[in-house]
Amino acid sequence: MTTPHVRLGVIGAGFVGRALVQMLDDDSRQVALVDGATATLELVGVAVRDLTTVREGVDSSLLTDDPLSLAARDDVDILVELAGGIEPARTWIETALRRGASVVTANKTLMADCGTELAQLAHENGADLLYEASVAGGIPIIRALRTSLAGEKINRVMGIVNGTTNFILSQMTSEGRDYADALKEAQALGYAEADPTADVEAFDAAAKVQILSSLAIGTALHGEPILREGISKVRSVDVDYARRAGYVIKLIGVVERVGEHGLSRRTHPALIPIDHPLAAVHGAMNAVFIEGDRSGPLMWLGQGAGGEPTASAVLGDVLHAARNRVNGRHDVPFTVDDRLLSVDSGDLSSVFYLSIDVRDEPGVLAQVAGVFGRHNVSIQSMEQSGFGQEARLSFLTHVALTRDVTATLHELDLLVSVDSIGACIRVIDGGGA
Ligand code: NDP
Ligand code: HSE
């Protein structure tokens, strides 16, 4: 019997692509693919933008600056897309899928934008579309959701799915740095990009939440916006308050069932109780915490970024796609549940941490408390710290509707005695949805 031969084309030789190419060079990884028989993997091309860059560990004879032609090549059985962004990545992937080649990608932006269509296209052409590395880098959460947890009703997924923001918030918590300082360090260490917007304003986390939601609950992947709040407004005083009250602040992504067919998908900073497993996830690590109906709580922890951990997840997908090809099969797309409806975020309830800077004058506290009462927001605890003519009021509410809290802050903002609203951050597992 001849050894099956599977040919790969890789688009992108940056952090992840280069690590993948180096791993493919290691003979020991040309593993047993089918029931004891081996198959060989052959890398036939690597597409990049700039052919003049020196790329250690990448055979320069394989390089091309024409990714579309690589995607269209008849002898490429599996196309690995590691360039990122929506276009032209979408065109490359569609080109490969239309001729029946399988595709492996780490591109969460693209998957969140049009993953359902691409998965359908793959299915129609008898090919795989695999994207394990698109969420939480090296953590194998996608295959766990697709296979091991396929029979589980998942009620909630909460994840720390962005390493850059977790690093910044961890530095603010453990080293007492302010946001700007911690961001600078994240940039110096290569976690944050020169333009950190995608990470700190939670666009990256939002795309990952959409992908997790499609697999955990069955929502379509077609770019529907979700509630997204970043970390750029989190201040040292908020981190300090959280610590005194027994919490840590984390940027979390949440996918949550609300009632029978309701759904909440969101990403925002949250106060997490210090004894919650996610509170112990420090630095640039990622974690995904799942609450299943029968499985109970489960958690995965690992490196959510970095060339090698991410390429490890990509290689797992490559081998899975290769096995499928050798066996003449492909994975079916995830199921979309059309009955699911996103719940208006105003209708969600939670405990909130609120911080308000006010004039330190008689009657101000009563005025502020009156506004809370008028909007049906009950105060659980209040701390006042004074500085000169000003005072900072920090509140934990009881469980309150988000729309009531928003209305409270809106009215407070109009009071002459209120200088500024400093923080409005949800408290996880303090009650509510
Ligand atoms: P890099 O920016 O390091 O590398 C991107 C690569 O793609 C470069 O080699 C670049 O070529 C090539 N490329 C970009 N656009 C084109 C184009 N139009 N034509 C040809 N080549 C192109 O990205 P990463 O390796 O960090 O990320 C790759 C993917 O993996 C992204 O989707 C990212 O979101 C995802 N990912 C990354 C993680 C990480 O830790 N880095 C973690 C999880 C997912 P050139 O080198 O010539 O510029
Ligand atoms: N920028 C992402 C992070 C890694 O900081 O986690 C890529 O998904």
Side-chain angles (χ1 to χ4, degrees), residues 330-346:
H330 67 279
D331 288 2
V332 290
F334 61 86
T335 313
V336 174
D337 182 349
D338 292 327
R339 296 166 304 174
L340 292 169
L341 267 185
S342 284
V343 174
D344 187 314
S345 59

Side-chain angles (χ1 to χ4, degrees), residues 237-428:
V237 289
D238 303 322
V239 170
D240 286 345
Y241 173 84
R243 188 176 35 227
R244 289 197 302 282
Y247 298 94
V248 285
I249 299 184
K250 298 281 184 194
L251 179 76
I252 54 162
V254 183
V255 180
E256 190 165 42
R257 285 186 194 275
V258 183
E260 187 64 8
H261 299 303
L263 168 79
S264 167
R265 292 175 301 168
R266 50 191 205 267
T267 176
H268 52 73
L271 270 68
I272 297 193
I274 197 75
D275 57 358
H276 191 285
L278 288 175
V281 179
H282 303 300
M285 297 298 270
N286 278 199
V288 181
F289 183 80
I290 286 181
E291 292 163 37
D293 218 25
R294 301 193 187 112
S295 66
L298 300 163
M299 184 158 120
W300 289 256
L301 170 76
Q303 297 191 55
E308 290 208 334
T310 309
S312 160
V314 173
L315 185 54
D317 275 351
V318 166
L319 295 179
H320 186 75
R323 254 181 227 126
N324 274 352
R325 290 192 86 74
V326 169
N327 280 312
R329 62 183 185 217
H330 67 279
D331 288 2
V332 290
F334 61 86
T335 313
V336 174
D337 182 349
D338 292 327
R339 296 166 304 174
L340 292 169
L341 267 185
S342 284
V343 174
D344 187 314
S345 59
D347 290 334
L348 294 173
S349 51
S350 171
V351 169
F352 284 83
Y353 153 64
L354 307 171
S355 162
I356 303 158
D357 286 356
V358 295
R359 289 189 193 164
D360 200 356
E361 290 170 359
V364 170
L365 187 53
Q367 223 181 4
V368 168
V371 177
F372 275 77
R374 268 199 296 289
H375 292 285
N376 209 26
V377 176
S378 172
I379 296 166
Q380 186 184 146
S381 67
M382 198 279 289
E383 183 186 282
Q384 173 168 346
S385 44
F387 43 98
Q389 308 293 303
E390 309 286 307
R392 176 161 302 133
L393 306 178
S394 303
F395 298 94
L396 278 184
T397 69
H398 281 294
V399 174
L401 268 176
T402 307
R403 73 174 75 261
D404 291 341
V405 172
T406 307
T408 303
L409 293 177
H410 188 68
E411 190 175 334
L412 285 172
D413 211 16
L414 300 175
L415 293 182
V416 176
S417 54
V418 170
D419 288 329
S420 62
I421 308 291
C424 170
I425 305 181
R426 292 163 185 80
V427 179
I428 290 295

Side-chain angles (χ1 to χ4, degrees), residues 12-17 47-50 55 67 82-84 88 92 106-108 133 304-306 310:
F15 289 108
V16 184
V48 292
R49 236 178 335 215
D50 181 1
R55 299 168 200 271
L82 297 172
W92 302 330
N107 191 335
K108 66 241 147 191
T310 309

Side-chain angles (χ1 to χ4, degrees), residues 6-218:
V6 179
R7 294 172 196 82
L8 309 180
V10 176
I11 301 179
F15 289 108
V16 184
R18 210 168 50 244
L20 177 72
V21 170
Q22 287 164 359
M23 284 181 192
L24 285 167
D25 237 7
D26 177 351
D27 280 345
S28 66
R29 294 185 196 263
Q30 297 195 0
V31 293
L33 288 174
V34 223
D35 311 326
T38 56
T40 48
L41 296 178
E42 183 191 0
L43 181 62
V44 297
V46 179
V48 292
R49 236 178 335 215
D50 181 1
L51 287 174
T52 63
T53 307
V54 178
R55 299 168 200 271
E56 203 186 319
V58 182
D59 176 352
S60 58
S61 70
L62 295 177
L63 290 175
T64 166
D65 59 1
D66 186 356
L68 186 58
S69 297
L70 184 64
R73 254 172 80 162
D74 282 347
D75 64 343
V76 170
D77 301 306
I78 301 175
L79 181 76
V80 185
E81 185 277 308
L82 297 172
I86 292 181
E87 280 296 352
R90 180 179 180 159
T91 303
W92 302 330
I93 289 176
E94 286 175 346
T95 302
L97 292 175
R98 284 210 176 92
R99 59 175 186 78
S102 291
V103 169
V104 173
T105 179
N107 191 335
K108 66 241 147 191
T109 318
L110 179 67
M111 288 308 300
D113 185 68
C114 56
T116 300
E117 270 170 62
L118 292 176
Q120 189 53 34
L121 183 63
H123 184 51
E124 284 163 12
N125 289 281
D128 276 313
L129 171 66
L130 304 176
Y131 47 97
E132 180 65 69
S134 65
V135 178
I139 301 178
I141 188 64
I142 289 187
R143 191 147 297 120
L145 284 167
R146 287 206 62 163
T147 56
S148 315
L149 292 169
E152 183 64 36
K153 181 182 179 204
I154 293 170
N155 294 320
R156 182 162 73 162
V157 180
M158 284 200 295
I160 293 175
V161 288
N162 184 272
T164 304
T165 47
N166 203 49
F167 175 83
I168 293 171
L169 292 171
S170 297
Q171 285 290 306
M172 291 173 75
T173 305
S174 61
E175 305 297 323
R177 289 169 187 253
D178 66 17
Y179 169 78
D181 211 23
L183 170 60
K184 261 190 219 136
E185 179 161 13
Q187 286 170 321
L189 290 171
Y191 295 128
E193 311 262 338
D195 175 1
T197 311
D199 290 323
V200 300
E201 298 305 342
F203 290 99
D204 175 84
K208 291 165 178 170
V209 165
Q210 300 213 28
I211 297 169
L212 287 173
S213 164
S214 67
L215 295 158
I217 307 214

